């Protein structure tokens, strides 16, 4: 037996779940240059008649983003939504406490809804349960979703928006477990507030789906008791619990960094177990689903962000969280996507945080183009080819240990079968930094399927980055790495690589 190996067996019967396309969601917060200078920049050469950058819209459409969380994030906990609607000239400027910035309110709820329509995406709206509560949440929902004939629906119409926005998914606050959150609460306080807010929102619009805040990451002292307490209060009135996590290669140890998706895997398993524990306690019938509505790599900008927020004057759209991603970040993003898909029976929504300029796959130059970061590519591939039924790959692979993790598989895989188009895609990351590994896929249960292509993201330098000047890290199609015979496919995965292996019924 080879020392390094990876084998999978694919069978249409070995289903994890039909993938909810919202697992490929993203996030735009009023933070840094995400909105101002990102999605919206009147005066830019590519701006449309409403000031939205067409170059950004094109890239968002290319990613086929199905849902975008808005307007925060930490921002939402001191968001006064009424300031963001109505005649722009009358909108107040505000001190925005989460990011110590000046919020001009030039883009608000209605503008962002219009942008979302242009981008071909749905909105996931968050309400302020930090400085505000049930009343502001109800009023915003009435403003957005009620047809007409009431104070806030008529206010929307007076603002020129006749048709309701029909926003289905609502987040009940953001990271309320975090001491950094404006209006931070204990689990019991938040659970009660989430429950009462949820019940009131459902009176206004019974079709909404509601997400309660889970833990901000697995390192929080209140994790995972937070989830249990919140759900003890709000189990019957919410549909989802959120998970957030960001990783960074702070030890400058690539092998260890690439094992971080194992932490994400454990996080999901623990939250599922906690939901099911509360379900059993409550003798409940429904399952609580998971909304992994913030995930990504985030650490490159740490030092400059604390300087901006601690030492610089309040300003509009400062440069914040502008991580420039490298090749190894793209590999971890690929691994995190695989992890989400492996849990797609419970993770129904997920948001790559964020979308433009702020820890984002898309960056913009103020007087120049929009460009693709390294992490753009695994996200693109998953969103494009990962629609259908996620399959358990029954993976067996050699393993290694890293500084912080043990039994880390050398190769990670998941497969998605598009049963309508009769296409099958295997996503695989070889996280061995030195060795190519042959992935052996037993496809005999997929009779008539033939190899149709192999896309790879690879680079000799884990620290290689893209920029407006050019893409050092971009995918290529490889012709010489796959051999198929009698339903057995052998694919060579180069060291440290993201692979998209496509099959099609002939
Ligand atoms: O995405 C950046 C920030 O990360 C969000 O505002 C907050 O929810 C999280 O801590």
């Amino acid at each position: 037996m080879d020392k390094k190996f990876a084998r999978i067996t694919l069978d249409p019967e070995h289903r994890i779940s039909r993938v909810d396309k919202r697992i490929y969601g993203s996030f735009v917060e009023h933070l840094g240059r995400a909105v101002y200078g990102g999605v919206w920049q009147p005066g830019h050469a590519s701006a449309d008649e409403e000031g939205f950058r067409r170059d950004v819209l094109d890239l968002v459409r290319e990613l086929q983003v199905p849902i975008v969380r808005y307007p925060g994030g930490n921002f939402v906990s001191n968001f006064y939504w009424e300031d963001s609607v109505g005649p722009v000239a009358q909108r107040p400027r505000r001190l925005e406490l989460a990011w110590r910035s000046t919020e001009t309110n030039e883009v608000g709820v209605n503008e962002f809804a219009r942008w979302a329509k242009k981008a071909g995406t749905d909105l996931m709206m968050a309400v302020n349960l930090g400085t505000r509560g049930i009343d502001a949440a109800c009023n915003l929902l009435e403003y957005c979703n009620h047809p007409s004939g009431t104070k806030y629906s008529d206010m929307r119409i007076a603002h020129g928006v006749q048709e309701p926005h029909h926003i289905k998914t609502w987040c009940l606050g953001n990271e309320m477990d975090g001491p950094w959150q404006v209006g931070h609460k204990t689990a019991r306080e938040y659970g009660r507030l989430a429950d009462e807010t949820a019940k009131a929102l459902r009176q206004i619009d019974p079709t909404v789906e509601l997400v309660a805040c889970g833990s901000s990451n697995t390192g929080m002292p209140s994790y995972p008791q937070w989830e249990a307490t919140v759900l003890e209060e709000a189990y019957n009135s919410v549909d989802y619990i959120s998970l957030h996590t960001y990783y960074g290669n702070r030890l400058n140890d690539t092998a260890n960094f690439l094992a971080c998706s194992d932490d994400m895997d454990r996080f999901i398993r623990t939250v599922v177990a906690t939901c099911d524990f509360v379900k059993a306690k409550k003798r409940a019938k429904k399952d609580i689903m998971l909304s992994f509505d913030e995930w990504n790599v985030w650490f490159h900008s740490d030092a400059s962000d604390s300087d901006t927020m601690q030492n610089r004057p309040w300003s509009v759209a400062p440069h914040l969280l502008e991580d420039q991603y490298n090749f190894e970040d793209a590999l971890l993003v690929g691994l995190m996507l695989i992890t989400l898909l492996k849990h797609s029976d419970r993770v129904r929504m997920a948001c790559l945080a964020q979308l433009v300029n702020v820890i984002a796959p898309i960056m913009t130059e103020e007087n120049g183009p929009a460009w693709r970061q390294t992490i753009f590519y695994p996200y693109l591939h998953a969103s494009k080819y990962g629609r259908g039924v996620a399959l358990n790959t029954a993976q067996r692979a050699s393993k290694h240990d890293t500084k912080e993790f043990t039994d880390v598989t050398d190769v990670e895989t998941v497969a998605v079968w598009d049963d309508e188009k009769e296409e099958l895609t295997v996503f695989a990351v070889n996280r061995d930094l030195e060795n190519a590994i042959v992935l052996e896929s037993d496809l005999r249960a997929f009779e008539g399927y033939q190899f149709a292509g192999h896309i790879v993201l690879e680079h000799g330098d884990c620290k290689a980055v893209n920029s407006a000047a050019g893409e050092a890290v971009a995918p290529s199609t490889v012709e010489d790495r796959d051999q198929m015979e009698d339903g057995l496919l052998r694919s060579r995965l180069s060291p440290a690589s993201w692979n998209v292996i496509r099959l099609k019924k002939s």
Side-chain angles (χ1 to χ4, degrees):
M1 188 188 289
D2 287 352
K3 207 162 155 261
K4 300 277 181 184
F5 68 94
R7 292 189 201 103
I8 59 175
T9 304
L10 297 179
D11 188 315
E13 298 301 323
H14 296 170
R15 292 164 169 245
I16 300 170
S17 172
R18 187 164 290 281
V19 177
D20 187 323
K21 67 176 182 184
R22 295 174 302 173
I23 210 166
Y24 304 118
S26 189
F27 176 30
V28 173
E29 178 168 5
H30 280 248
L31 193 186
R33 298 193 306 125
V35 173
Y36 306 111
V39 303
W40 187 78
Q41 192 184 342
H44 185 271
S46 80
D48 69 10
E49 64 295 344
E50 295 184 282
F52 298 124
R53 281 184 67 146
R54 285 196 185 88
D55 53 357
V56 171
L57 275 168
D58 286 346
L59 291 174
V60 176
R61 286 193 209 106
E62 184 182 340
L63 287 169
Q64 299 177 30
V65 181
I67 194 162
V68 174
R69 186 164 173 256
Y70 176 84
N74 297 339
F75 170 86
V76 81
S77 293
N78 71 142
F79 177 48
Y80 295 82
W81 70 264
E82 303 88 335
D83 295 344
S84 84
V85 295
V88 177
Q90 289 166 27
R91 296 184 196 172
R93 289 160 76 93
R94 279 258 182 184
L95 293 181
E96 197 293 291
L97 308 182
W99 303 104
R100 203 168 162 280
S101 307
T102 308
E103 172 57 51
T104 64
N105 284 306
E106 290 162 286
V107 171
V109 170
N110 294 322
E111 288 81 16
F112 198 75
R114 276 205 296 281
W115 177 83
K117 209 170 220 162
K118 289 182 178 188
T121 192
D122 285 336
L123 275 186
M124 177 194 291
M125 184 69 86
V127 299
N128 176 354
L129 293 187
T131 57
R132 307 187 83 183
I134 304 173
D135 57 347
C138 286
N139 297 346
L140 177 58
L141 177 61
E142 183 185 315
Y143 183 92
C144 288
N145 282 13
H146 196 70
S148 64
T150 63
K151 174 171 173 176
Y152 290 102
S153 57
D154 287 345
M155 186 188 282
R156 183 196 69 239
I157 293 167
H159 292 160
V161 185
Q162 186 66 40
E163 284 304 308
H165 294 306
H166 298 298
I167 300 170
K168 183 176 164 197
T169 312
W170 292 75
C171 302
L172 302 169
N174 177 69
E175 293 189 352
M176 300 308 300
D177 61 330
W180 59 84
Q181 202 67 215
V182 183
H184 162 230
K185 292 174 177 46
T186 65
R188 193 66 67 188
E189 286 166 350
Y190 171 69
R192 288 278 306 117
L193 179 59
D195 187 44
E196 292 302 330
T197 308
K199 286 190 283 190
L201 293 177
R202 285 195 199 284
Q203 297 266 0
I204 297 168
D205 182 351
T207 69
V208 291
E209 290 197 330
L210 301 175
V211 186
C213 292
S215 294
S216 300
N217 56 68
T218 53
M220 298 302 293
S222 53
Y223 167 78
Q225 184 59 48
W226 172 276
E227 282 77 356
T229 306
V230 167
L231 289 176
E232 271 165 17
E233 296 295 341
Y235 196 97
N236 293 328
S237 55
V238 303
D239 306 290
Y240 298 85
I241 187 117
S242 72
L243 299 84
H244 291 181
T245 202
Y246 296 98
Y247 299 112
N249 189 359
R250 293 191 171 81
L251 303 176
N252 196 17
D253 177 335
T254 303
N256 190 66
F257 176 59
L258 296 182
C260 288
S261 55
D262 290 18
D263 178 71
M264 184 190 212
D265 181 77
R266 261 199 305 274
F267 188 9
I268 295 171
R269 287 176 197 280
T270 305
V271 175
V272 168
T274 308
C275 292
D276 293 351
F277 165 73
V278 181
K279 176 185 179 184
K281 263 182 91 174
K282 290 194 169 282
R283 296 356 180 204
K285 286 209 162 58
K286 74 169 182 189
D287 285 326
I288 295 288
M289 295 296 171
L290 275 51
S291 172
F292 215 124
D293 47 41
E294 286 189 36
W295 67 271
N296 202 348
V297 172
W298 171 17
F299 79 112
H300 295 285
S301 61
D302 284 357
S304 74
D305 291 342
S306 40
D307 178 51
T308 307
M309 293 212 298
Q310 283 162 28
N311 307 322
R312 310 283 159 182
W314 295 81
S315 63
V316 177
H319 288 259
L320 281 172
L321 280 65
E322 298 201 8
D323 282 41
Q324 187 180 18
Y325 291 114
N326 59 29
F327 172 58
E328 66 188 18
D329 297 329
L331 290 179
L332 185 65
V333 163
L335 285 158
M336 292 172 88
L337 284 159
I338 288 174
T339 307
L340 292 168
L341 284 167
K342 279 181 157 179
H343 291 286
S344 52
D345 55 334
R346 292 303 283 272
V347 180
R348 297 298 180 156
M349 300 189 284
C351 302
L352 175 68
Q354 297 192 10
L355 188 57
V356 187
N357 285 337
V358 168
I359 43 173
I362 300 168
M363 296 297 287
T364 67
E365 299 284 297
E366 195 182 341
N367 300 308
W371 53 276
R372 299 171 184 84
Q373 295 240 48
T374 62
I375 64 168
F376 185 95
Y377 288 109
Y379 182 41
L380 169 72
H381 296 151
S383 177
K384 195 165 164 190
Y385 300 121
R387 314 256 174 154
V389 179
L391 299 176
N392 182 340
T393 60
Q395 173 188 293
R396 289 133 295 153
S398 47
K399 294 179 179 170
H400 61 275
D401 292 342
T402 71
K403 205 168 267 172
E404 295 175 308
F405 299 89
T406 51
D407 286 332
V408 180
T409 51
D410 293 330
V411 170
E412 266 302 300
T413 59
V414 74
V416 180
W417 175 39
D418 185 332
D419 47 348
E420 276 172 22
K421 291 190 191 154
E422 299 192 301
E423 292 175 359
L424 180 62
T425 302
V426 178
F427 298 104
V429 173
N430 179 5
R431 46 183 166 180
D432 188 303
L433 304 177
E434 309 289 330
N435 301 289
I437 297 180
V438 173
L439 172 66
E440 297 178 352
S441 307
D442 183 338
L443 295 155
R444 284 173 294 183
F446 275 97
E447 229 187 296
Y449 278 70
Q450 293 300 328
F451 172 73
H454 183 161
I455 304 167
V456 68
L457 194 68
E458 59 192 351
H459 202 285
D461 178 5
C462 277
K463 308 295 181 192
V465 295
N466 293 350
S467 71
E471 290 190 5
V473 181
S476 54
T477 300
V478 286
E479 310 282 347
D480 54 349
R481 300 195 190 168
D482 302 84
Q483 286 171 345
M484 186 147 174
E485 213 180 311
D486 299 332
L488 298 177
L489 176 67
R490 287 170 58 83
S491 307
R492 185 174 168 276
L493 312 181
S494 54
S497 61
W498 158 258
N499 300 268
V500 183
I501 300 165
R502 310 256 303 135
L503 296 117
K504 222 177 171 2
K505 189 155 182 175
S506 52

